[in-house]
Each structure stands twice: as C-alpha cells, then as structure tokens.
Amino acid sequence: DAGVTQSPTHLIKTRGQHVTLRCSPISGHKSVSWYQQVLGQGPQFIFQYYEKEERGRGNFPDRFSARQFPNYSSELNVNALLLGDSALYLCASSSTTGRVVEQYFGPGTRLTVT
Amino acid sequence: AQSVTQLDSHVSVSEGTPVLLRCNYSSSYSPSLFWYVQHPNKGLQLLLKYTSAATLVKGINGFEAEFKKSETSFHLTKPSAHMSDAAEYFCVVSDSGGYNKLIFGAGTRLAVHP
C-alpha cells in the first residue's frame, strides 16, 4: 500500500500570495493532521480532521485553513503569506483519533516565501 | 498541559558504541509517548510508542525506550550505533484532548562517526 502522499514537493511563493498544499492519506485512514516544521525545530500542530470535520486546531492565525474531502484527502490553505510561513509542511494520517493511535507522516511540502 | 524536553540538541557517537537520547515529559495523567526519526529530506518515521503497557518498549532498527514514571523520563537507547542511524530524533507526547494532537520536542541530532 502507498503511504501518505503530499504535493507539491517544493513550492516558492511571494509574500502576500496564497498557497494550497495537498495530502492523500493511507488507504482506509479517515483522519488527517497538518504540522508545520520550521528549520531547526520540531513540528507544530496546525489542524486535525476526522470524517471531514475539524477536530482540533493549533495556535495558528486565521490565515491558515484546511478541509477534508469525502475521499479523506485534505488541503491546507495559507493566505497572505509571510516570510515566517517558510517551513516544511507535514501531513499525517491515522485510522482514527485518540491518544494512542499512531500517525503516519508524508514526506512533506517545502514552502519558501520570498 | 503536556510537554516534552529533549535534554541534548546534539549527540555524537562512534559506530558500534551505545546510543542514549534523553527525553523528559510533563503530563498530568498517564501519557502516550513516541519516538520519531527524521532522516535528511525525508518524512517522520515512527520508531516506537509507549501506551501504558510494558515500561520497556522495543522499536524498529534495534531501538528501545524505557518509561520511568518516577523520573518522568522516556530515554531512547540502542546498544550499537550504525552509520545509518545518523538523523534527527524527536520525542513526542500525545495531547490529552479528544484527538491525537502530537506535541514534539525540539529534537536531537545524532551524528555517528566511523
């Protein structure tokens, strides 16, 4: 089975622009989470979706939004890009939610904002 | 609130010698703890997880970790380092909410020398 896939792999945007990142979970997984990893730091939680509903949101501004589709794939949208949004954006999928459930990560999308 | 502290930002060992990566956690209840590894330009891979069963947890690639409640620690060890173990390692705790938000430590970069 394929793992978690993300597209695009790399992206360069200009300040003020909008970006959409995409994620396809492992087949059968109904939960998708998004994390931001700034260079030299651990990943930080942005959103979690389960069965197309938002289950959790991290401490990120309203410029960040996401959604999950009926096939459980997900999009992360960031508006009005800032230089500080430059990071590796990671998507993780899991079969369900809950503290003990393992999450499987994709390779990430490297976003550079100039 | 849950948190993890990785006590070393960098660890350097010689090939064939033991590896010790230290992690302390803070949690108001019995935590779910994980170790993830991130190789350069790769996604995060789960090494092992603790979910209140056995306190000594065995993972992939010869790694293991011991949960010590009295010391609030979850250190990662491996008896003999291999060159391919060079990577960034993250200690992670799962949040107490109704979903599986992961809280990452800052990471420990492991270097393995011939």
Side-chain angles (χ1 to χ4, degrees), chain A residues 35 37 48 98-100 103, chain B residues 29 36 38 95 99-100 102:
Chain A
Y35 291 82
Q37 185 177 18
Q48 184 183 72
R99 289 194 303 116
V100 302
Q103 294 191 39
Chain B
Y29 60 95
Y36 279 84
Q38 187 175 38
D95 193 43
Y99 53 101
N100 49 345
L102 299 181

Side-chain angles (χ1 to χ4, degrees), chain A residues 22-82:
Chain A
R22 296 177 175 83
C23 171
S24 292
I26 291 171
S27 177
H29 283 191
K30 299 181 179 180
S31 178
V32 170
S33 298
W34 287 95
Y35 291 82
Q36 181 196 64
Q37 185 177 18
V38 173
L39 194 63
Q41 298 180 18
Q44 283 198 295
F45 174 78
I46 310 175
F47 286 109
Q48 184 183 72
Y49 278 76
Y50 179 68
E51 290 278 20
K52 302 181 291 296
E53 291 189 3
E54 182 183 302
R55 286 297 190 93
R57 172 186 285 257
N59 187 26
F60 280 80
D62 291 343
R63 299 185 295 108
F64 288 76
S65 63
R67 56 180 175 167
Q68 187 177 33
F69 299 99
N71 66 354
Y72 302 113
S73 67
S74 177
E75 283 183 354
L76 175 70
N77 295 283
V78 187
N79 292 324
L81 285 167
L82 303 174

Side-chain angles (χ1 to χ4, degrees), chain B residues 40-103:
Chain B
N41 300 316
K42 296 277 184 70
L44 290 156
Q45 181 183 21
L46 179 67
L47 279 177
L48 49 82
K49 70 175 183 180
Y50 166 77
T51 57
S52 74
T55 56
L56 183 61
V57 182
K58 294 188 182 298
I60 61 172
N61 300 334
F63 284 94
E64 62 181 36
E66 186 172 8
F67 174 76
K68 291 187 177 180
K69 185 176 180 179
S70 60
E71 299 176 10
T72 62
S73 69
F74 189 58
H75 300 336
L76 181 71
T77 60
K78 183 174 181 178
S80 176
H82 191 272
M83 296 296 289
S84 61
D85 294 329
E88 188 87 18
Y89 291 79
F90 293 96
C91 181
V92 182
V93 65
S94 185
D95 193 43
S96 59
Y99 53 101
N100 49 345
K101 167 186 174 181
L102 299 181
I103 300 168

Side-chain angles (χ1 to χ4, degrees), chain A residues 4 24-26 29 31-33 91-95 102-105:
Chain A
V4 178
S24 292
I26 291 171
H29 283 191
S31 178
V32 170
S33 298
C91 172
S93 78
S94 56
S95 55
E102 297 175 19
Q103 294 191 39
Y104 297 85
F105 284 82

